[in-house]
Amino acid sequence: MNKGIDILVAVERNKIPIGQKHKLHLLIKVRGISNGQQQRRPLNLGFVLDRSGSMEGSKLDYTRQAVELCMTHLDENDIQSIVIFDHEVEMLMAPTKLVNKDMAKKVLQKVWARGTTNLSAGLIMGGNLVGHNSSDERINRVLVLTDGQANQGITSADGLATIAGKIGDRGIGVTSLGVGADFDEEVLIGIAEAGRGNFYYIENPDQIPAIFEQELEGLLQVLAQKLEISIDSPYLTKAYGYIPEVTEKGFNFALPDLYSGEEKVLVLEMELPAMQSGTQKLVNIKVSYFDTFSMQEQIVEVPVDIFAGDIEQIGDADANPEVEKHLRRLRMAEAQNEALSKADEGDFDSARELLKEVVAEMLPMMADEDELTELDQLQESIKYYSDEQYNQSTRKKIRAASYRQQKNRPR
């Protein structure tokens, strides 16, 4: 345990036979631990709200309710700004401390739906407004909600992710919330990934307040920010859970804020050459983050070794069950995403066959009821891969579920 976080590192097998090539997996788990003494840090929130024509009616009504709900949880030390966008972008509320919540709520009632969707302009202004008061003393976050596809300004997935990444590099997380069946989930997931935030799929407008409250609850319990994990090893071939930046020495991961009680999980795949007898260096792991209790940067280094020996020396080295369990979960999520890609191309037969193979492979390995539930849900999804069942709404449900599975978040 170290300053509010617990770091677990485990190798699939810590003993291997000499003279053979091996494929191994390494688990890295970072868990937030509340010490019960920490007062919450002030929030600096920027709401970026789609007010395009398709938001008219219940979507806009519930969005207002959600922002008003967030206001009730904020105090005079918190800062809030509101941006609204359609084909144009407008600052509805400049960054301000919420001394007069009633006046702030009245401002929301002036929002009415119109126009098309310039998501990039809204995102840029939202990031800039939060940036005016961004500091290590505050939890800084942009929350962008939309029900449509970007069709004005910068519209490409890469371009929008780049904007979010630049906001994230300033210490401001970007959370994306998609409502309904028309938004592009891959774009919003890309924004959340690049902006070190979260992604939510809101199937029905009446879910908007609860989802906003869920995100706010996490922000009120942030234990670590600017969380980065660097892995130095020549053996790395693949990462599960988060997308790495590939460096000369290995992988680097820029992760979202860590909440109390939350676990962020990575599983790394390594291909080892035939090794000589003895203890060998496997990887060096560096975890760096800003501790919100001590208000200091923290760095933890974890070297990982492995022992290579002959059969008599290593004995019957069983695989680490926790490493295997997380690997199964992440492989199921990956298979689901691969199936979605095939279905997007109209190849439903290949999508179904892929998932059936994964189910058959995983079933004998399932260790507990939670795993069986996840496997049942994977099997249940197979029926949606057909011309009759596969549509925008179905795809979003499946993709949101695989996203939560990848990020080790509760369903």
Side-chain angles (χ1 to χ4, degrees), residues 8-24:
L8 169 72
V9 177
V11 185
E12 188 175 15
R13 286 181 172 82
N14 54 20
K15 295 180 180 180
I16 59 172
I18 58 175
Q20 301 177 28
K21 294 181 179 181
H22 294 275
K23 180 181 287 187
L24 278 182

Side-chain angles (χ1 to χ4, degrees), residues 84-97:
I84 54 176
F85 68 92
D86 45 74
H87 53 283
E88 299 176 334
V89 61
E90 177 184 345
M91 180 179 68
L92 186 67
M93 180 185 296
T96 183
K97 291 186 176 181

